[in-house]
Amino acid sequence: MVGITSTHIVYLISIIVIFIFMLLRKDIIFLCILGILAVAMSQTKNILKSVEILYTAIFVSGKELWQVILIISLIIAMSRALDDIGADVVITKPFLRFLNTPSKSFWIIGLMMMLLSFFLWPSPAVGLIGAVLIGPVLKSGFDELSFASLVTIFGFGSALSGDFFIQGVPSVTAKTLGIPTSKLILSSLPVWGVTSLATIIIFYFVTMKKLKNKKNNDKADNNVGKKKIYKESYIISIVSVIFFAVDTFLMYVLKIRGNAATALIGGSAVIILLASSIVQKDFLNKVREYLKSGFLSGIRTFAPIILISAFFFLGELTTAKQVIGPEAKGYLMDLGLYLSKHIPLNKYTVALMQLLVGVLTGLSGSGFSGLPLVGALSKTFAHTLNINSSLLASLGEITCIWVGGGTIIPWSVVPVTAIIKVDPDSIVKRNLFPVIIGLICGYIVTVLLL
């Protein structure tokens, strides 16, 4: 049985205080820093060591997030280069006739984001969608917040919680559960389908209500007429689309996944950036300015996220050991496991436990951190109650991803906010109700099928 120490209690109290301040719409960076110091003091009983841990926590957090910061910065730099030569107008023009109403834009962009996320994963997909289609979407009557929420729901929620093609998510859960990945995927289909469908339908009506009285984005139309379009812009526009289309094809055919897929997108962004700069005057300085602007935007977006994540990364065993040392615990994981040992077991409570563990571990902002735990718990519960372990694990897995993968935790939606300039808290507020209803529906169907 997991032993809950005073440090676990300190970490839990810190989380409660942080979430109270979040509900009050107050900034939480100061509290996260205090939380790191409090956990470090409780664990080490050494002031000097605790100060060192504070720095190490921020360093490890930055290191964990660096690749995301890098790809986002490069995409921003490329987007601004394309924008300056009018290539964005050329690229988006063919989509205008299809993306002419908010309702059409909702389903076209949503399904496109889902499809790309199935094959690329959401972070590279949002870079492609955001860089190429934000113009037509805004002209159709969408606003930036609705667009940002849309790609999180379809990509970081629905597509990633299924992950039927890359299979990174179900393979982690299946490994700890001790069953083939294909069996887990098959079992997850009804829970995934009901959760995704309920969330998307509710989100659709919420979004349409918000946009009901919104006029088309006249500002975007005015800018189009004022932009200078170089004759080379048409060639660069075609090449840019071909580049990313070929990237997508190669990722699927050659099974390029994860970090390698991100690297391919990032490298392509740099090449397109160079091509967009060469056609302009003083292109050597232009390249420097675009990259500087992109990285400044990336760092400006991620600076607070690095500090917030530094605290929540302490909840995951691997990163906690990197920060505090070998004596560290996975504080969030341990609290979830402890809770599971103190609740009466039946199909209703074990399904609820999977839901709560998924929510709790998702608070770290990483949907993956709780997958081994929900797999292990499902195996234990299924053995005790003689119920379907893969179905039970599916609920926990889907909850982990919907909560921590990038829909309702502010520090997990930064890949979207860096591309689409929207406050993360606003995205979370828009997503919260549909996602909660979707997860409740997932819980109900799990209980009915167990």
Side-chain angles (χ1 to χ4, degrees), residues 91-346:
I91 291 172
T92 57
K93 195 173 182 180
F95 293 95
L96 293 178
R97 59 177 176 170
F98 300 106
L99 304 176
N100 52 13
T101 67
S103 183
K104 286 183 181 179
S105 294
F106 181 96
W107 295 110
I108 292 172
I109 298 299
L111 293 174
M112 189 180 297
M113 180 66 189
M114 182 184 288
L115 184 64
L116 286 173
S117 298
F118 275 140
F119 293 102
L120 305 182
W121 274 15
S123 292
V126 75
L128 292 174
I129 293 284
V132 175
L133 294 179
I134 189 169
V137 172
L138 295 182
K139 291 174 190 176
S140 74
F142 256 68
D143 56 22
E144 286 89 347
L145 174 57
S146 299
F147 183 37
S149 293
L150 178 67
V151 296
T152 61
I153 292 292
F154 277 89
F156 294 84
S158 183
L160 189 59
S161 65
D163 195 17
F164 303 123
F165 298 96
I166 299 175
Q167 299 184 2
V169 171
S171 65
V172 175
T173 310
K175 185 175 180 181
T176 55
L177 191 56
I179 64 172
T181 303
S182 57
K183 182 179 178 181
L184 180 62
I185 289 175
L186 191 62
S187 296
S188 73
L189 286 176
V191 184
W192 174 82
V194 169
T195 302
S196 296
L197 192 60
T199 302
I200 289 170
I201 289 175
I202 293 171
F203 180 71
Y204 171 79
F205 286 109
V206 169
T207 302
M208 292 302 106
K209 183 179 179 181
K210 296 287 184 183
L211 298 175
K212 185 177 181 181
N213 299 318
K214 191 170 256 314
K215 295 180 180 179
N216 286 350
N217 192 315
D218 295 326
K219 182 179 178 181
D221 286 327
N222 294 335
N223 286 341
V224 169
K226 296 177 181 178
K227 281 186 180 178
K228 178 180 180 181
I229 301 178
Y230 298 77
K231 61 182 180 180
E232 296 90 351
S233 298
Y234 294 93
I235 298 174
I236 292 172
S237 301
I238 295 170
V239 170
S240 299
V241 173
I242 291 173
F243 248 68
F244 287 123
V246 170
D247 284 349
T248 305
F249 176 75
L250 291 176
M251 287 174 194
Y252 176 69
V253 173
L254 302 179
K255 300 188 184 301
I256 300 173
R257 308 291 188 237
N259 292 341
T262 303
L264 186 59
I265 294 293
S268 299
V270 174
I271 293 172
I272 294 168
L273 164 65
L274 295 178
S276 303
S277 302
I278 288 173
V279 303
Q280 303 180 62
K281 293 180 179 179
D282 196 21
F283 72 90
L284 293 176
N285 286 330
K286 284 285 186 181
V287 172
R288 180 189 62 194
E289 289 304 313
Y290 288 135
L291 287 171
K292 184 167 72 173
S293 175
F295 276 93
L296 284 173
S297 295
I299 294 298
R300 189 180 298 114
T301 300
F302 278 87
I305 305 303
I306 289 172
L307 292 163
I308 294 169
S309 296
F311 171 77
F312 283 95
F313 275 142
L314 294 178
E316 206 273 320
L317 181 61
T318 303
T319 45
K321 287 184 178 295
Q322 291 180 50
V323 173
I324 296 175
E327 71 276 13
K329 310 290 184 184
Y331 303 107
L332 269 179
M333 297 287 193
D334 290 350
L335 288 168
L337 191 57
Y338 177 83
L339 187 62
S340 72
K341 300 290 185 180
H342 292 77
I343 291 182
L345 298 183
N346 55 57

